Amino acid sequence: MRFPNFLPSPLRRVSLPRWGRAFAALGALALLSGCEWWSMNGHQSTIAVEGPVARNQLEVFYVTVWVSVVIFVIVGAVLAYAMVKFRAKTDADEHAQPPEQSHGNPLVELGLIGASILSLVVIAVPTLKSIWYTYDVPADQKANAFEVTATGYQWWFKFEYPSELASVTPDGATKAPLVTGNELVIPVGRPVRINVRTVDVIHSFWVPKLAGKVDMIPNRANHLWLQADKPGYYWGQCAEYCGDSHAVMRFRVIALEKKEFEAWVADQSQTARNVAPLTAGTERPKVQFASLREFKKNEVGITQKFDVNPLEAWRAHQMPDARNENPELIARGKELFTQKTCLACHQVRGHGAAGISAPDLTHFGSRTTLAAGLIENNPEQLRRWIRDPGSVKPGNKMALAYERIDHTGKKIDGIKLTDEEQVALVAYLLSLK
Amino acid sequence: MDLAKSAHLTTEDHAPAAQPSLLAHPSAKTGLMSWLTTVDHKRIGFLYGVFALFFFLVGGFEALLIRAQLMYPNGTVLTAQQYNTMFTMHGTTMIFLAVMPLSSAFFNFIMPLQIGARDVAFPRLNAFSLWTFVAGAIIINIGWFLPAATHGAPDGGWYGYAPLTSKTYIPKHSIDYWIMGLQLLGVASIAASLNFIVTIINMRAPGMTMMRLPVFTWMTLITSFLIVLSFPAITIALVELMMDRNFGTGFFEVSLGGMPILWQHLFWVFGHPEVYILILPAMGIISEILPTFSRKPLFGYPIVVFSGAAIGFLGFTVWSHHMFTTGMGTVATAAFSLATMCIAVPTGVKIFNWIGTLWGGHIMMRTPMMFALGFVWMFMIGGFSGVMHSAAPADSQQNDSYFVIAHFHYVLIGGSIFALLAGIHYWFPLMFGRKVSEFWGKLSFWVIFVGFNVTFFPMHFLGLNGMPRRTYTYDPNLGWNSANFIASIGAFVLGIGIFIYFAVMAYTYFKGEKVGKDVWDGRTLEWSLPNPPPEYNFRVIPTVHARDAWWYEKHHREEIAKEQAEHAKAEEAHGGIHMPFGSIWPFVTSVGVLIGAVGISAFNQLGDPGTEGYWRLAIGSFVLGPKLGLSVFGALVMFVGVYFWSLEGNEGYHLHLDKDGNPVKDGHGKH
């Protein structure tokens, strides 16, 4: 096997034996097949799309890919041919008379410019069509569209349903638009128009399987639309750098059939659930489980089990887990929620907490994740969060309420929670279904 | 130090006795003072190169830390804040402190040689540009060495989107250093660019018409225009941001009715031409190397030049393609989408012409040519993913994902860096009279080439699989694990390649094979010079008869020899070779700028103008405040520098050469 002279000279003399070549080929094959580096079917894939908007964007992308590949193959072949064919192969070649000192060929060049422009037209036409299609809900479906307002906060998402009114007081006399946090539930098969807003810095709303991103910019009323083909559980993430914890500012979109969606809205529109006190004679667990184990730095908070069927996991979260509920602990947690000033930022409709600067927790227990889609909503992870929110999401406001360092470098103490208090709060929060 | 002692030899005979010693012209030819006072474009170019390569290694180290953090999901090498600082500084460093100054090194060193000039038009301004660049680089990096809680290195992204960079969200001084550092780099770049423009327009050798300029010089000219026209936009944006942060204005403050989107427009009106500021010099270098090693002229020279100009011009019309996801509306999105596609045409033309240059040539596979061909291949890939971004709907998925990272690293490493590395290899023999060994050169090329592709090719897939940029961590269940792992391995291979490259370069500088003049059988005027080129560059200012001036000379030796003898006589009759004096004042001025800028960026926030005692505090700190005192002191030093700079005048001295080309002492004083 002769190596060409673009390799360093001693390497040219190296000749791989046949078994060596076979081994190298096998190795390459193993590398290719053994890992999934080229596979693009993850939770946030822009290729394995599941809605018309993302599909339309993907089709435009494929047009650009095909045009690029065709041109690349042609130009690349010519370039490769020129590199091989006109290479000076020997020293004599290099010292030969220089080739003809030609300066160019206008016809060839104009032809190539024309061809480039033509191939761009192939890309331009679907691009323009798609710009208009993806911008807003098509006119003929406007009437059917469902409207949601998504607001970015450092570092979580608020979702508001302007058309769905929820009870603020238990008697239902006062109503306000339904608000949830970090998990957006939408109906299947209907266009969903999402107004994107922000209260602080720029964020970006991105659910890759459903639609491309649109930025949430202060002082700017942006919107996007998307639609889910079938019921599903979709991963979303902030896509504009927004400070310390940008990487962990995530959210979920849950798409449900009409009936299930309506049931969910009806359920969420209620005020927060109250757990009945212990009746004499019933046996209930004394302490609700919340593991005391230490978590590693930046430890994964989502289990493999959850990934198998996240939509089912979501459904399971909607039902109260009566077996594990300890009413005394929950009552203690409810008290602490006020005592420890949680209610200054969080809202729990019907429980007297009306804060607006942090996620609404009225139906917190019905969500699959917490800390903006970052970790699973279970007692263990919730306690991890309540105990030291800064270790999960660096710099977040809740962590700053626990302890912060002012501009002179001085440490300022805030909320302190004992183990017992943490467990009680966990019990209370998880009871909010 | 006593400048009088190091005064130039001519002052001994001819300086007016009354001249104060401060104004004596420094004449040191070696040692530290010779570097601080130099106005020689080659030495300034060399210094630009040294600083740029240093920051290239710093930026590369930051990149390796980023890849170490992302090698595995939920990495713990860096904290969130460290990671954010790292990607901000990696971008800022590579763009402003590595690639731009490295291009500038070549502009300085090579461009005057290519047009047959003895120096740039304003040698002292050139020195000022260099030292102000260094001052800017220091300020941008100063936060590394200060307390992280209140100062720290910049962490708002290299593009510093408002309102994240406001005092509300980043109260630390890190952003203030970023602002002042970029301002100084802007001053340095604009001063240097004006210098290059004036030089290219006015100081070409006789017969060097515009359409005979080497393509690298053309790209220097176009890049310089881009810098002069685009930097004011970011200068304004940075001033506004500084006012917002420190003086209570509301350009980007939402609570005061400001518009954060305005920052994005101002930034990208600068930022997109900036991309071409990074790539056009690279294209110029490639357009020199390919013809030399194909031993034939550049195919379609006029079209290559005009397409370079077209890219520069169109570069100002496409800035909003960085903002396709900001909800600009259908018409604006469509317009910027189409304008962006148009850029593919002049870019494609360049590729076609490079292939045309190879076609029918005698291609000599030397190390510079390897990097140049690597450039063409990688730049093609980067170009195609660029076309994919131009389709706005596709971009709404790719924007701010790893697909974009893959794209611009193909353009900036596969493009700019490959070309600059090629340029170092190509001009190294001219600069230092030594040549890198082909074995080690090619080995470093292949390690870099493989490492680069292993790092960045999987990132296309990561982006399409939904991995967003600027994220310090990711979960293992998203299908990004192996691509990230491979990319990190590739990054370390790339790091090894770069290490080999520089180790070999350092070895060659001291111990490499010595070579004679015109080692590559070059085509442009710089190769007519002995290596390293003498201080005065050209013994006789050449007369240019054809586009590839030196190639023509080599094939018309007798005619040229006769002509040069006549010119030498004529020049001697006019007093000999005119050389500019060195000067310390540009350096002093830059030091003043540095001190002042540090003072301004560390300036304490006074609170809102409305609050009680604001003006008292403001006036008080202006007079007494230690921080502002620093700014005042810096301004004084700058003033002293500028004052003596203008006072010492722009004289030079004359050199006379003996038969062997050695300078003899001037006997005719200053002119």
Side-chain angles (χ1 to χ4, degrees):
Chain A
M1 186 168 177
R2 192 175 157 274
F3 282 83
N5 67 353
F6 49 75
L7 285 175
S9 53
L11 284 191
R12 266 177 258 154
R13 289 192 290 273
V14 178
S15 167
L16 282 178
R18 185 169 295 175
W19 59 264
R21 267 176 275 166
F23 191 74
L26 269 179
L29 205 66
L31 188 71
L32 285 175
S33 57
C35 347
E36 85 286 41
W37 67 269
W38 75 94
S39 74
M40 291 172 287
N41 53 5
H43 293 315
Q44 288 184 197
S45 172
T46 65
I47 303 295
V49 295
E50 297 192 22
V53 177
R55 192 168 302 115
N56 184 278
Q57 288 158 339
L58 179 64
E59 278 158 11
V60 174
F61 174 66
Y62 277 145
V63 173
T64 65
V65 170
W66 283 116
V67 170
S68 300
V69 166
V70 169
I71 300 177
F72 183 75
V73 167
I74 297 172
V75 178
V78 177
L79 173 57
Y81 177 80
M83 279 169 60
V84 174
K85 163 86 177 161
F86 300 107
R87 187 154 45 84
K89 283 156 193 100
T90 60
D91 278 3
D93 273 0
E94 288 191 356
H95 295 105
Q97 269 299 309
E100 192 199 337
Q101 302 292 299
S102 62
H103 287 277
N105 183 332
L107 272 185
V108 171
E109 303 195 35
L110 286 178
L112 287 170
I113 292 176
S116 323
I117 293 174
L118 268 184
S119 56
L120 285 175
V121 172
V122 174
I123 296 176
V125 173
T127 297
L128 292 183
K129 278 190 187 164
S130 175
I131 288 175
W132 266 266
Y133 176 72
T134 55
Y135 180 68
D136 206 344
V137 181
D140 57 333
Q141 294 177 55
K142 274 244 160 75
N144 189 28
F146 186 77
E147 193 159 324
V148 181
T149 300
T151 309
Y153 289 72
Q154 272 181 331
W155 292 276
W156 60 280
F157 291 89
K158 180 175 96 179
F159 300 115
E160 188 177 320
Y161 297 75
S163 57
E164 310 295 340
L165 291 180
S167 309
V168 178
T169 48
D171 58 6
T174 320
K175 287 190 184 274
L178 174 61
V179 169
T180 69
N182 299 322
E183 293 194 1
L184 171 64
V185 181
I186 58 166
V188 158
R190 276 175 80 178
V192 180
R193 191 180 195 274
I194 301 175
N195 305 305
V196 292
R197 305 285 184 268
T198 173
V199 297
D200 40 47
V201 300
I202 300 176
H203 304 281
S204 191
F205 182 95
W206 190 28
V207 197
K209 286 195 171 191
L210 299 181
K213 61 191 75 62
V214 170
D215 295 349
M216 307 166 135
I217 302 174
N219 246 357
R220 202 172 165 79
N222 281 343
H223 69 266
L224 76 150
W225 77 282
L226 50 77
Q227 184 175 328
D229 293 333
K230 54 181 200 301
Y233 185 94
Y234 303 99
W235 269 252
Q237 185 155 5
C238 174
E240 182 63 80
Y241 174 59
C242 52
D244 283 0
S245 278
H246 161 61
V248 290
M249 181 174 169
R250 304 173 194 171
F251 66 103
R252 301 288 193 275
V253 175
I254 294 107
L256 302 174
E257 292 290 7
K258 187 165 186 281
K259 221 172 125 192
E260 198 180 4
F261 175 71
E262 280 166 2
W264 176 82
V265 170
D267 194 35
Q268 296 277 311
S269 300
Q270 307 296 314
T271 49
R273 177 170 160 260
N274 289 303
V275 177
L278 269 181
T279 49
T282 43
E283 210 173 302
R284 292 259 172 99
K286 282 248 166 14
V287 177
Q288 183 153 350
F289 169 73
S291 147
L292 292 177
R293 84 178 171 90
E294 292 291 328
F295 286 84
K296 281 185 297 208
K297 216 165 115 191
N298 201 13
E299 188 180 316
V300 186
I302 302 263
T303 55
Q304 291 268 315
K305 200 178 80 194
F306 178 81
D307 255 7
V308 177
N309 195 340
L311 190 58
E312 274 315 310
W314 181 84
R315 286 188 176 120
H317 268 268
Q318 306 310 305
M319 308 303 293
D321 183 9
R323 274 180 309 126
N324 281 323
E325 283 185 338
N326 180 338
E328 283 157 2
L329 207 53
I330 290 171
R332 167 86 176 125
K334 189 174 169 185
E335 214 177 279
L336 283 167
F337 196 79
T338 305
Q339 256 176 35
K340 297 289 177 185
T341 67
C342 307
L343 81 177
C345 300
H346 292 282
Q347 177 165 40
V348 183
R349 283 182 281 116
H351 285 192
I356 51 162
S357 58
D360 183 302
L361 301 179
T362 310
H363 295 274
F364 173 78
S366 71
R367 296 180 200 148
T368 47
T369 59
L370 63 96
L374 182 63
I375 51 183
E376 242 177 276
N377 192 8
N378 59 32
E380 191 184 36
Q381 296 289 347
L382 178 56
R383 183 165 181 280
R384 173 189 183 189
W385 169 250
I386 287 178
R387 188 184 197 184
D388 187 3
S391 72
V392 177
K393 196 189 275 186
N396 81 83
K397 298 223 164 56
M398 189 158 139
L400 297 183
Y402 282 39
E403 178 187 312
R404 68 188 178 87
I405 292 168
D406 74 356
H407 67 280
T408 59
K410 208 176 75 191
K411 206 170 88 175
I412 297 174
D413 280 335
I415 301 168
K416 288 254 179 297
L417 295 175
T418 63
D419 284 347
E420 179 267 331
E421 290 166 342
Q422 290 162 16
V423 172
L425 275 168
V426 167
Y428 168 63
L429 289 170
L430 288 178
S431 77
L432 300 173
K433 298 268 182 179
Chain B
M1 102 171 255
D2 186 1
L3 291 172
K5 273 187 186 156
S6 61
H8 186 263
L9 51 94
T10 54
T11 56
E12 176 187 326
D13 307 332
H14 309 285
Q19 197 171 15
S21 62
L22 262 177
L23 287 181
H25 296 292
S27 67
K29 297 287 178 203
T30 53
L32 181 65
M33 272 320 274
S34 75
W35 289 100
L36 297 185
T37 60
T38 187
V39 294
D40 181 348
H41 70 98
K42 297 178 292 299
R43 286 184 136 205
I44 289 174
F46 176 74
L47 286 177
Y48 261 115
V50 169
F51 287 119
L53 292 178
F54 170 73
F55 283 112
F56 180 60
L57 295 180
V58 171
F61 180 68
E62 286 155 2
L64 288 183
L65 284 176
I66 290 173
R67 282 320 315 169
Q69 165 75 3
L70 296 179
M71 192 160 178
Y72 297 104
N74 297 74
T76 52
V77 177
L78 302 172
T79 65
Q81 202 172 43
Q82 284 167 342
Y83 182 88
N84 297 338
T85 306
M86 225 44 92
F87 76 68
T88 300
M89 287 305 290
H90 170 68
T92 308
T93 302
M94 285 303 197
I95 290 168
F96 295 105
L97 310 182
V99 175
M100 273 181 79
L102 201 51
S103 299
S104 211
F106 287 121
F107 295 167
N108 262 300
F109 201 107
I110 302 300
M111 180 272 288
L113 304 181
Q114 285 196 328
I115 62 172
R118 291 217 167 101
D119 207 321
V120 292
F122 309 113
R124 286 179 301 169
L125 185 65
N126 205 17
F128 171 75
S129 301
L130 167 73
W131 297 116
T132 305
F133 151 69
V134 176
I138 290 173
I139 293 185
I140 285 183
N141 281 287
I142 204 168
W144 291 120
F145 308 102
L146 297 172
T150 47
H151 295 263
D155 54 355
W158 85 274
Y159 52 92
Y161 272 9
L164 183 62
T165 45
S166 75
K167 211 95 185 172
T168 317
Y169 301 107
I170 304 186
K172 298 183 298 178
H173 284 305
S174 60
I175 300 294
D176 298 308
Y177 295 127
W178 181 77
I179 292 171
M180 283 318 290
L182 288 194
Q183 291 292 43
L184 294 203
L185 295 180
V187 170
S189 303
I190 291 177
S193 299
L194 288 171
N195 210 343
F196 296 141
I197 292 171
V198 175
T199 306
I200 294 173
I201 293 184
N202 289 301
M203 299 182 64
R204 284 165 288 138
M208 179 64 89
T209 59
M210 291 306 274
M211 289 312 279
R212 281 179 185 166
L213 283 182
V215 178
F216 177 71
T217 298
W218 255 115
M219 293 307 133
T220 308
L221 182 64
I222 294 169
T223 306
S224 300
F225 270 110
L226 288 183
I227 289 175
V228 169
L229 294 175
S230 70
F231 264 81
I234 195 172
T235 304
I236 289 166
L238 289 169
V239 168
E240 292 178 350
L241 181 60
M242 183 181 81
M243 299 298 277
D244 272 11
R245 280 180 68 84
N246 296 303
F247 303 106
T249 57
F251 293 100
F252 313 114
E253 279 297 331
V254 182
S255 56
L256 298 173
M259 292 296 264
I261 193 83
L262 171 68
W263 170 271
Q264 296 193 19
H265 283 292
L266 286 172
F267 184 83
W268 290 116
V269 163
F270 149 78
H272 198 76
E274 171 69 24
V275 174
Y276 298 122
I277 291 168
L278 301 175
I279 195 68
L280 285 175
M283 291 175 160
I285 293 172
I286 297 304
S287 303
E288 298 295 323
I289 293 177
L290 292 181
T292 301
F293 292 95
S294 304
R295 309 193 75 206
K296 66 192 270 282
L298 186 68
F299 187 86
Y301 169 92
I303 294 204
V304 173
V305 169
F306 282 125
S307 62
I311 291 174
F313 182 77
L314 287 173
F316 282 98
T317 67
V318 297
W319 76 89
S320 281
H321 71 208
H322 297 266
M323 300 162 58
F324 278 153
T325 61
T326 59
M328 290 186 296
T330 45
V331 176
T333 304
F336 282 106
S337 212
L338 295 182
T340 305
M341 289 177 194
C342 293
I343 289 208
V345 177
T347 314
V349 163
K350 292 214 168 202
I351 305 252
F352 298 145
N353 282 285
W354 288 328
I355 298 176
T357 306
L358 299 173
W359 199 270
H362 286 176
I363 303 173
M364 305 194 292
M365 286 291 179
R366 296 293 192 278
T367 312
M369 187 62 163
M370 302 288 295
F371 277 99
L373 290 171
F375 166 94
V376 177
W377 281 104
M378 295 302 101
F379 186 73
M380 260 176 24
I381 295 178
F384 282 120
S385 55
V387 171
M388 294 172 194
H389 294 141
S390 73
D395 183 69
S396 73
Q397 289 280 23
Q398 294 151 6
N399 185 319
D400 273 325
S401 79
Y402 265 75
F403 196 85
V404 173
I405 301 211
H407 159 69
F408 71 73
H409 280 94
Y410 266 86
V411 180
L412 289 182
I413 299 184
S416 299
I417 295 290
F418 271 37
L420 291 167
L421 296 182
I424 293 175
H425 264 294
Y426 179 57
W427 281 305
F428 200 88
L430 174 71
M431 292 174 174
F432 308 112
R434 294 177 192 269
K435 190 167 107 37
V436 176
S437 98
E438 282 295 307
F439 171 78
W440 287 102
K442 284 177 181 171
L443 183 76
S444 70
F445 168 78
W446 280 114
V447 179
I448 290 172
F449 185 82
V450 170
F452 164 69
N453 279 290
V454 172
T455 311
F456 292 102
F457 200 73
M459 289 190 189
H460 290 110
F461 297 86
L462 272 179
L464 294 174
N465 210 0
M467 179 160 172
R469 290 171 77 174
R470 303 174 181 131
T471 48
Y472 74 91
T473 186
Y474 57 94
D475 271 351
N477 64 340
L478 294 161
W480 305 333
N481 304 357
S482 46
N484 269 306
F485 181 76
I486 293 172
S488 292
I489 296 294
F492 293 115
V493 174
L494 179 57
I496 293 169
I498 297 288
F499 175 79
I500 298 175
Y501 184 96
F502 284 109
V504 172
M505 218 41 91
Y507 174 83
T508 310
Y509 180 82
F510 294 106
K511 296 225 161 133
E513 175 198 349
K514 286 195 176 161
V515 290
K517 147 177 168 177
D518 192 15
V519 59
W520 310 119
D521 194 9
R523 312 181 69 84
T524 41
L525 279 177
E526 74 269 29
W527 298 108
S528 69
L529 299 173
N531 55 41
E535 198 190 345
Y536 49 85
N537 295 352
F538 294 92
R539 217 184 147 171
V540 178
I541 295 294
T543 301
V544 177
H545 298 277
R547 193 169 284 154
D548 287 338
W550 171 238
W551 186 268
Y552 179 90
E553 275 190 33
K554 283 190 279 192
H555 293 86
H556 300 80
R557 278 181 200 285
E558 280 174 25
E559 172 199 333
I560 295 290
K562 219 169 95 190
E563 193 180 85
Q564 287 200 341
E566 280 167 25
H567 287 188
K569 229 192 249 166
E571 200 161 0
E572 194 57 34
H574 281 92
I577 296 173
H578 183 256
M579 299 294 293
F581 281 125
S583 170
I584 190 68
W585 302 114
F587 177 75
V588 172
T589 310
S590 295
V591 169
V593 170
L594 171 66
I595 297 170
V598 169
I600 290 173
S601 25
F603 182 65
N604 280 335
Q605 195 184 12
L606 298 171
D608 294 322
T611 54
E612 206 209 319
Y614 172 83
W615 291 110
R616 204 170 52 228
L617 196 61
I619 294 164
S621 64
F622 184 79
V623 181
L624 304 165
K627 298 264 173 56
L628 203 58
L630 202 61
S631 333
V632 173
F633 175 66
L636 275 177
V637 174
M638 183 179 88
F639 179 76
V640 167
V642 172
Y643 185 74
F644 283 103
W645 180 342
S646 41
L647 210 64
E648 74 178 351
N650 61 352
E651 302 103 335
Y653 58 95
H654 279 123
L655 269 183
H656 303 275
L657 305 179
D658 63 16
K659 266 180 275 166
D660 306 321
N662 299 318
V664 264
K665 277 195 182 179
D666 181 356
H668 301 288
K670 302 194 291 180
H671 290 267

